[in-house]
């Protein structure tokens, strides 16, 4: 112990920060979820009362369904985009750094600015950028952010615009690391570009893709800011997510216990999803 | 050696973090009044007049230090502040908020102070009920307002809807409202009306509209409170909203509109009419440099079920962490600035300073609030002061001030914000989908609201 004293002392700040920013909120959240609360103050033990009330909230099922819908749409719309972009950029001879920078730019635009820009583009009136383009092409206007049927894919598209660049860079770094001799050998064997993609590129980025897939699921399932700022969860709760419901309980209705119980439910769902994914992967690896 | 330095550095870092305490010098002033009513920095005229008031107040009460702590109430910023005990001694909020703030334990019980100062018996009964729990009172009203029909005179002028004296020919019934809006749309291309649908504002406005169709959203049946969102009257009101959008086509293209939107649309001449109360008449002027003489307010139109004006307003609440001395200091401030039902030279003079600052800043002055205290002399004095400093043509508000006070109706009693949220959802679908069926949507909303909220009312 004495030997490691200075090491322990050096670790104290990190441990304190971890405790303060991660462990304390995590455990406090679980504690709050089984407590009766008055504001943020715990006034008694509630058992599963908060959970039962939250599960009976008519909006809960919709939010649960929507959170899965966001995740699925994000995989459909957003998962392949960075991979395709990375492969294309990797093949480019000219302008590759310019394009690399431009696809990363949306990432450094602040969230609020992004949403304001997109609201302008998606404005449902004839003055909306996208609608005026459509009308110029002789098509009708679309109420982009106010139709229940399309609201989630629309939000996910804007999210993809913002986030794809960063993921592309990760794939691109992996692609650059592939041993060029593999391609040379394949070319000598007379393969075409699709075969090289199929037998070299994709297997080489496969493992990275698996990690990014689960990270994307974890992140999108917790979507909050976009639906909150684009639509406030509307129209008619069509875009409300579990985290937005959580936010509403905590900051609009002042019911910390119920908000915490949603956090715990989201946590459990994500743990289950991750476990299923890991088991599935393990079987595949074996 | 390097290691020792590093360890030492860590220690210093930790120690300095702990050492940063509250070093504020108070001098002889034993009580600090942290004043959430302080205007925001950008409103220089208000800040200047407030600073002057602070100086005089501190000269009068040498034991009280006034600490400017501008705070504009928002539910999402209030809760973290309250949980951390950082709410200023006194802040303002709206009539819809005290219920949840009191239930969350974030408002101080001021019954004793009110009894001692004699204001308890002067408070308007319906307001008192709203801010009380179990016989204890947790807030006092600042003022109350009735919802009205805002009229943009620039748009009315373009549509040829002003008479020879420049007075708007405003709609007296909801039928006329649709027709007037249609005239505006046809002649100017500008949407004649706005129907909000977001952030509970939509439901809030809609209840007032639906009352005029005879709606009653919550009622007691055999001793139990029942939701009544799918009554023929509510359906008729919702069909009216649907017609505004799809039959008359007099609403803005965007159908997800909330509080900030009416201000922007109205302030930039992008709509002809909308619902709002008289207390916010300065916001479009401040935020969008709208001409203050281009605003008129008419009473909410009559419908088949009568004519009603929803009552809203502003209350003062006191931080749950404030000491009794601090609460009393806050009351002294309210007294000093003429916000309590008491007429004396000092408080009236300070009220005038406040109004003069608004006049100097070019904000509209003249729209006086509805009485919240049972003190006729005091209420009259407020109206007179506002009229004295009026910088707008009060004829534009004449009918509003004659009719609205007689048609006042308090908000629905239970889970009011949740009711608004539920209605928001229905309005959003009705405005977004031409083929929406209001009856079916309201039936569904009624079941949800009954199960989610009314079943819990005891």
């Amino acid at each position: 112990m004495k030997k490691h004293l200075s090491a322990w002392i050096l670790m104290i700040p990190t441990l304190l920060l971890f405790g303060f920013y991660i462990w304390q909120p995590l455990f406090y959240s679980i504690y709050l979820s089984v407590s009766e609360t008055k504001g943020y103050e715990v006034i008694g033990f509630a058992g599963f009362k908060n959970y039962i009330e939250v599960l009976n909230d008519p909006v809960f099922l919709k939010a649960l369904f929507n959170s899965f819908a966001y995740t699925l749409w994000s995989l459909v719309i957003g998962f392949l985009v960075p991979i395709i972009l990375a492969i294309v950029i990797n093949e480019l001879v000219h302008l590759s750094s310019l394009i690399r920078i431009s696809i990363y730019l949306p990432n450094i635009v602040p969230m609020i600015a992004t949403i304001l820009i997109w609201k302008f583009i998606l404005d449902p009136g004839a003055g909306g950028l996208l609608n005026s383009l459509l009308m110029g092409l002789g098509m009708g206007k679309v109420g982009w952010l106010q139709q229940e049927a399309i609201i989630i894919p629309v939000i996910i598209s804007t999210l993809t615009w913002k986030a794809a660049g960063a993921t592309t860079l990760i794939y691109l770094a992996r692609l650059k690391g592939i041993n060029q001799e593999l391609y040379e050998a394949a070319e000598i064997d007379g393969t075409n570009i699709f075969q090289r993609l199929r037998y070299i590129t994709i297997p080489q980025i496969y493992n990275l893709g698996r990690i990014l897939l689960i990270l994307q699921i974890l992140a999108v399932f917790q979507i909050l800011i976009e639906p909150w700022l684009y639509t406030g969860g509307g129209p008619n709760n069509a875009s409300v997510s579990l985290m937005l419901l959580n936010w509403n309980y905590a900051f609009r209705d002042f019911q910390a216990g119920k908000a915490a119980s949603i956090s715990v439910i989201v946590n459990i769902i994500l743990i289950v999803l991750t476990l299923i994914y890991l088991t599935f992967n393990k079987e595949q690896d074996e | 050696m390097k290691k020792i330095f590093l360890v030492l550095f860590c220690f210093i870092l930790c120690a300095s973090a702990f050492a940063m305490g509250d070093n504020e010098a108070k001098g002889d002033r034993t009580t600090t009044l942290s004043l959430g009513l302080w205007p925001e920095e950008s409103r220089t005229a208000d800040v200047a007049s407030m600073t002057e008031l602070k100086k005089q107040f501190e000269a009068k009460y040498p034991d009280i230090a006034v600490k400017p702590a501008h705070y504009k109430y928002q539910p999402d910023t209030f809760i973290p502040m309250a949980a951390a005990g950082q709410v200023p001694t006194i802040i303002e909020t709206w009539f819809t908020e005290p219920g949840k703030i009191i239930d969350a334990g974030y408002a101080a019980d001021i019954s004793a102070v009110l009894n001692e100062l004699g204001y308890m018996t002067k408070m308007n009964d319906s307001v008192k009920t709203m801010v009380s729990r179990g016989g204890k009172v947790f807030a006092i009203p600042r003022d109350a307002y009735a919802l009205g029909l805002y009229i943009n005179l620039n748009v009315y002028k373009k549509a040829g809807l002003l008479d020879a004296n420049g007075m708007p020919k405003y709609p007296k019934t909801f039928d006329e409202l649709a027709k007037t809006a249609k005239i505006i749309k046809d002649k100017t291309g500008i949407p004649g009306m706005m129907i909000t649908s977001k952030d509970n504002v939509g439901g809030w406005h809609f209840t007032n509209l639906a009352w005029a169709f005879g709606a009653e959203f919550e009622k007691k049946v055999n001793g139990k409170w029942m939701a009544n969102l799918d009554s023929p009257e509510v359906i008729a009101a919702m069909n009216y909203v649907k017609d505004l959008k799809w039959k008359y086509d007099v609403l803005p293209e965007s159908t997800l509109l909330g509080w900030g939107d009416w201000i922007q649309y109205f302030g930039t001449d992008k709509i002809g009419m909308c619902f709002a109360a008289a207390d916010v008449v300065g916001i479009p002027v401040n935020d969008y440099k709208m001409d203050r003489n281009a605003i008129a307010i008419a009473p909410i139109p009559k419908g088949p079920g009568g004519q009603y004006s929803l009552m809203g307003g502003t209350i003062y609440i006191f931080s749950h962490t404030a000491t009794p001395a601090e609460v009393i200091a806050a009351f002294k401030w309210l007294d000093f600035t003429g916000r309590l039902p008491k007429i004396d030279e000092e408080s009236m003079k300070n009220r005038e300073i406040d109004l003069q600052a608004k006049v100097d800043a070019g904000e509209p002055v003249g729209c006086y609030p509805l009485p919240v205290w049972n003190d006729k002399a005091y209420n009259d004095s407020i109206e007179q002061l506002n009229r004295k400093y009026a910088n707008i043509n009060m004829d534009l508000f004449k009918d509003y001030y004659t009719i609205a006070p007689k048609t006042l109706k308090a908000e629905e009693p239970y889970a009011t914000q949740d009711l608004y949220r539920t209605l928001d959802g229905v309005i959003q679908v009705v405005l977004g989908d031409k083929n929406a069926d209001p009856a079916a949507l309201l039936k569904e909303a009624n079941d949800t609201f009954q199960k989610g909220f009314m079943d819990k009312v005891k």
Side-chain angles (χ1 to χ4, degrees):
Chain A
M1 184 69 195
K2 207 174 170 190
K3 207 171 85 187
H4 302 302
L5 186 64
S6 56
W8 278 106
I9 291 174
L10 276 174
M11 270 163 60
I12 284 174
T14 317
L15 289 177
L16 282 177
L17 289 178
F18 251 107
F20 185 74
Y21 285 111
I22 296 177
W23 299 326
Q24 195 273 348
L26 191 72
F27 290 116
Y28 194 66
S29 189
I30 296 172
Y31 170 59
L32 270 181
S33 74
V34 292
S35 301
E36 194 161 337
T37 53
K38 190 173 180 184
Y40 267 54
E41 206 179 314
V42 173
I43 54 168
F45 179 69
F48 287 107
K49 189 165 154 268
N50 288 325
Y51 288 92
I52 293 164
E53 284 187 8
V54 161
L55 291 173
N56 276 321
D57 181 339
V59 184
F60 178 83
L61 268 185
K62 214 155 187 180
L64 180 70
F65 175 81
N66 286 348
S67 293
F68 277 106
Y70 276 113
T71 312
L72 279 177
W73 275 109
S74 92
L75 296 180
V76 172
I77 297 175
F79 185 69
L80 287 178
V81 172
I83 298 176
I84 295 167
L85 279 173
I87 291 173
V88 170
I89 293 173
N90 197 36
E91 294 296 322
L92 285 178
V93 182
H94 303 289
L95 296 177
S96 92
S97 32
L98 178 74
I99 291 176
R100 215 161 52 211
I101 291 169
S102 15
I103 57 155
Y104 190 72
L105 275 179
N107 224 280
I108 57 174
V109 180
M111 190 54 112
I112 302 282
T114 309
I115 285 171
L116 284 177
I117 295 169
W118 277 102
K119 271 188 137 172
F120 181 65
I121 296 174
L122 299 172
D123 189 280
L129 213 57
L130 198 52
N131 274 346
S132 60
L133 270 176
L134 284 181
M135 287 165 78
L137 294 171
M139 287 182 263
K141 289 177 295 191
V142 180
W144 295 105
L145 289 170
Q146 51 199 36
Q147 288 185 4
E148 290 182 72
I150 56 166
I151 185 70
I152 290 180
V154 168
I155 290 180
I156 286 297
S157 304
T158 71
L159 189 65
T160 305
W161 174 83
K162 181 161 172 58
T167 320
T168 305
L169 288 194
I170 300 174
Y171 280 116
L172 203 55
R174 179 72 198 93
L175 288 177
K176 296 275 182 216
I178 297 176
N179 190 346
Q180 288 302 315
E181 287 172 8
L182 290 174
Y183 288 107
E184 283 162 20
E187 248 171 280
I188 292 168
D189 287 344
T191 55
N192 62 27
I193 181 158
F194 297 107
Q195 284 168 321
R196 289 199 293 278
L197 268 180
R198 165 80 182 77
Y199 294 107
I200 302 172
T201 312
I202 291 173
Q204 288 285 330
I205 58 172
Y206 183 70
N207 279 328
L208 177 65
R210 288 203 313 203
I211 294 168
L212 290 176
L213 179 81
I214 193 71
L215 287 179
Q216 186 175 336
I217 291 173
L218 294 182
V220 176
F221 197 82
Q222 300 178 66
I223 190 166
L224 163 69
I225 300 178
E226 288 82 2
W228 176 37
L229 291 179
Y230 278 125
T231 60
N236 201 17
N237 294 323
S239 64
V240 72
S241 68
L242 279 175
M243 289 316 278
L244 183 57
L245 189 64
N246 174 353
W247 189 92
N248 285 342
Y249 271 125
F251 296 106
R252 193 186 60 201
D253 307 335
F254 300 179
Q255 297 180 340
K258 286 190 188 177
S261 60
I262 294 188
S263 306
V264 174
I265 292 170
V266 169
N267 212 328
I268 292 170
I269 293 173
L270 290 180
I271 290 174
V272 169
L273 282 182
T274 315
L275 284 178
I276 293 173
Y277 170 84
L278 287 178
T279 327
F280 173 72
N281 262 352
K282 212 172 158 191
E283 274 172 14
Q284 213 181 28
D285 288 347
E286 279 162 6
Chain B
M1 194 61 193
K2 215 172 170 184
K3 218 183 206 172
I4 295 172
F5 267 122
L6 215 61
V7 171
L8 215 66
F9 177 71
C10 286
F11 266 123
I12 293 168
L13 212 74
C14 293
S16 57
F18 283 114
M20 288 202 298
D22 189 3
N23 293 325
E24 207 175 314
K26 280 190 197 160
D28 298 335
R29 301 184 186 273
T30 47
T31 307
T32 304
L33 166 60
S34 133
L35 196 62
L37 316 177
W38 198 266
E40 61 184 296
E41 235 172 278
S42 64
R43 306 182 69 152
T44 42
D46 288 351
V47 172
S49 75
M50 234 8 182
T51 311
E52 181 56 34
L53 284 175
K54 167 173 150 55
K55 218 168 85 189
Q56 292 174 11
F57 180 80
E58 286 180 333
K60 185 176 175 189
Y61 298 104
D63 57 327
I64 302 173
V66 176
K67 191 173 118 198
H70 165 72
Y71 179 62
K72 188 173 180 301
Y73 178 84
Q74 279 298 333
D76 52 341
T77 56
F78 177 76
I79 182 92
M81 270 175 106
Q86 296 292 316
V87 177
T89 314
I90 176 171
I91 64 163
E92 291 174 353
T93 178
W94 323 302
F95 273 24
T96 49
E97 302 300 291
K100 63 182 180 186
I101 295 178
I102 299 168
D103 289 341
Y106 292 141
D109 173 10
I110 53 167
S111 319
V113 185
L114 285 174
N115 278 323
E116 194 187 314
L117 299 176
Y119 296 127
M120 189 66 109
T121 49
K122 282 192 176 180
M123 203 188 292
N124 175 306
D125 285 337
S126 60
V127 176
K128 199 196 279 180
T129 314
M130 187 177 76
V131 297
S132 301
R133 284 286 185 285
K136 291 177 188 162
V137 179
F138 292 85
I140 55 168
R142 188 190 76 181
D143 39 39
Y145 285 91
L147 214 53
L149 184 68
Y150 267 51
I151 289 168
N152 184 317
L153 296 179
N154 295 333
V155 176
Y156 257 56
K157 193 175 171 188
K158 269 192 217 160
L161 286 166
L162 297 183
D163 68 11
N165 303 318
M167 291 293 132
K169 295 180 210 160
Y170 73 84
K172 310 269 194 309
T173 65
F174 274 103
D175 247 4
E176 285 178 32
L177 173 68
K179 283 173 191 147
T180 311
K182 186 88 177 94
I183 295 174
I184 296 173
K185 181 74 192 273
D186 289 347
K187 291 204 176 163
T188 65
I190 298 169
M193 180 67 191
M194 170 185 261
I195 294 289
T196 48
S197 64
K198 216 171 81 170
D199 306 334
N200 301 5
V201 182
W204 179 46
H205 289 166
F206 179 76
T207 49
N208 198 155
L209 188 155
W211 287 338
F213 284 79
E216 202 181 345
F217 290 90
E218 297 175 355
K219 64 180 190 186
K220 213 170 186 175
V221 182
N222 301 328
K224 189 178 175 339
W225 279 93
M226 298 298 288
N228 193 24
L229 275 61
D230 54 349
S231 68
E233 292 84 8
V234 182
I235 295 171
M238 196 56 84
N239 271 316
Y240 175 79
V241 167
K242 191 180 171 190
D243 284 349
L244 285 181
K245 173 76 185 173
W246 300 108
K247 185 173 155 196
Y248 299 103
D249 187 23
V250 293
L251 302 182
E253 300 266 7
S254 176
T255 56
L256 279 178
L257 300 165
W259 179 255
D261 299 299
W262 84 258
I263 297 167
Q264 190 201 337
Y265 276 70
F266 190 82
T268 54
D269 300 343
K270 288 205 183 93
I271 46 167
M273 297 175 279
C274 63
F275 297 134
D279 58 334
V280 289
V281 72
I283 304 182
V285 177
N286 263 323
D287 291 3
Y288 294 98
K289 304 285 163 258
M290 185 183 185
D291 177 7
R292 64 170 186 266
N293 296 306
I295 305 173
I297 305 181
I300 300 269
K302 224 182 274 176
Q307 187 170 26
Y308 296 97
S309 308
L310 186 147
M311 188 171 86
T314 306
I315 54 163
Y316 295 119
I317 61 165
F318 304 82
S319 167
H320 68 299
T321 55
T323 62
E326 285 165 357
V327 172
I328 289 169
F331 266 89
K332 282 178 178 160
W333 175 269
L334 293 177
D335 186 12
F336 183 76
T337 50
R339 303 287 172 181
L340 291 173
K342 199 173 113 188
I343 306 180
D344 58 23
E345 206 183 316
E346 177 189 71
S347 60
M348 283 301 122
K349 190 192 83 199
N350 289 334
R351 257 191 177 269
E352 292 195 43
I353 290 179
D354 180 46
L355 287 170
Q356 186 61 50
K358 287 203 167 68
V359 171
D360 293 343
E363 284 176 36
V365 172
C367 285
Y368 52 91
L370 302 173
V372 282
W373 298 99
N374 305 321
D375 185 332
K376 189 166 182 325
Y378 173 75
N379 296 335
D380 288 348
S381 76
I382 291 176
E383 185 182 328
Q384 280 155 16
L385 269 188
N386 272 285
R387 286 188 181 276
K388 181 178 164 192
Y389 282 88
N391 59 3
I392 47 179
N393 180 1
M394 288 308 288
D395 285 346
L396 293 167
F397 305 87
K398 203 172 147 218
D399 292 353
Y400 169 74
Y401 276 112
T402 323
I403 293 171
K406 292 180 202 151
T407 53
L408 280 184
K409 189 167 158 72
E411 292 171 274
E412 297 289 341
Y414 294 104
T416 320
Q417 294 297 325
D418 305 296
L419 170 68
Y420 295 161
R421 186 157 67 245
T422 310
L423 289 170
D424 265 1
V426 179
I427 301 169
Q428 286 168 5
V429 179
V430 166
L431 293 183
D433 178 5
K434 203 175 182 166
N435 303 314
D437 175 5
L441 288 165
L442 284 166
K443 173 89 186 66
E444 191 193 331
N446 191 64
D447 294 346
T448 330
F449 187 65
Q450 179 68 38
K451 197 173 147 207
F453 303 100
M454 295 312 274
D455 279 348
K456 288 175 197 148
V457 175
K458 282 173 192 114

